[in-house]
Amino acid sequence: MKDLKSYIRTVPDFPADGIMFRDITTLYGNPAALKHAVDLLFGHFRNDRVQMVAGIEARGFVIGGALACRLGAGFVPIRKKGKLPHQAVEESYTLEYGEATLEMHLDAFGAGDRVLLVDDLIATGGTADAAVSLIDHLGGDVVGAGFIVDLPDLGGAAKLRDRCEKVVSLVSFEGD
Ligand code: AMP
């Protein structure tokens, strides 16, 4: 099969001028590419005794749910503020413009559970950092973080390695 990178569509100037949006929906829409991405992440984390996969809304739900099934783990949604129906913990973080807040159910897993964080892409790492704080808050053991795409020039994956020893990405776009 072709390089995974070739299944990701780049949309210039979305959602704002100067942003190169790495659109993962074209990879998700291709059965072989989706399976390959899940297989590769499964290969990285299969021996880490993952009990829960925590996926970040919304593109992290797709790859995270599929990976949880492969790993024989449960799935925990990390959502934008106000979407979860039950009692939740929240963590705010800084975006390029303004602030955002993520939430996770307070009873999503037990203290000491082995949790794998998953999202489609890591850029500055602010989103993943807030997600790790949520998992920490519940006493979860963050055994790793998996992404399809890394934008290494924005430094998020390198920063995340200070808090989580195993950070894996499948595709890297240099430049931004
Ligand atoms: P960050 O918090 O800067 O690491 O941003 C990561 C989150 O924003 C992920 O949930 C991504 O889906 C989204 N994101 C940030 N930059 C891009 C980009 N250039 N293309 C696609 N998604 C992006």
Side-chain angles (χ1 to χ4, degrees):
M1 87 164 277
K2 287 188 291 178
D3 189 348
L4 264 191
K5 197 170 183 172
S6 66
Y7 292 94
I8 298 167
R9 171 168 57 199
T10 294
V11 182
D13 300 321
F14 181 88
D17 279 356
I19 306 278
M20 298 290 272
F21 192 83
R22 308 302 178 177
D23 177 17
I24 206 85
T25 64
T26 40
L27 184 152
Y28 286 166
N30 182 285
L34 177 60
K35 181 175 186 309
H36 192 47
V38 174
D39 286 348
L40 289 175
L41 287 171
F42 174 70
H44 282 286
F45 294 107
R46 62 186 304 169
N47 296 321
D48 291 316
R49 293 179 290 118
V50 176
Q51 293 171 291
M52 283 289 173
V53 172
I56 302 175
E57 181 174 0
R59 292 179 292 269
F61 289 177
V62 178
I63 190 78
L67 184 58
C69 261
R70 274 304 294 281
L71 288 167
F75 180 82
V76 175
I78 295 181
R79 300 208 64 180
K80 288 155 192 162
K81 189 175 172 64
K83 303 280 186 76
L84 288 171
H86 196 57
Q87 209 181 351
V89 279
E90 65 173 53
E91 183 73 27
S92 295
Y93 61 104
T94 311
L95 295 171
E96 201 176 349
Y97 299 104
E99 265 213 341
T101 302
L102 291 178
E103 290 186 333
M104 187 171 69
H105 275 148
L106 200 51
D107 60 356
F109 49 80
D113 279 3
R114 297 174 63 80
V115 182
L116 171 65
L117 176 66
V118 172
D119 202 1
D120 67 324
L121 180 147
I122 184 161
T124 65
T127 309
D129 191 63
V132 169
S133 295
L134 288 174
I135 297 166
D136 279 352
H137 192 89
L138 264 64
D141 178 6
V142 184
V143 297
F147 304 89
I148 300 177
V149 180
D150 179 23
L151 307 183
D153 293 5
L154 296 179
K159 214 166 51 186
L160 188 61
R161 282 192 183 92
D162 292 342
R163 300 190 70 187
C164 167
E165 154 178 334
K166 188 168 178 182
V167 178
V168 169
S169 59
L170 304 180
V171 169
S172 171
F173 285 93
E174 315 285 334
D176 54 289

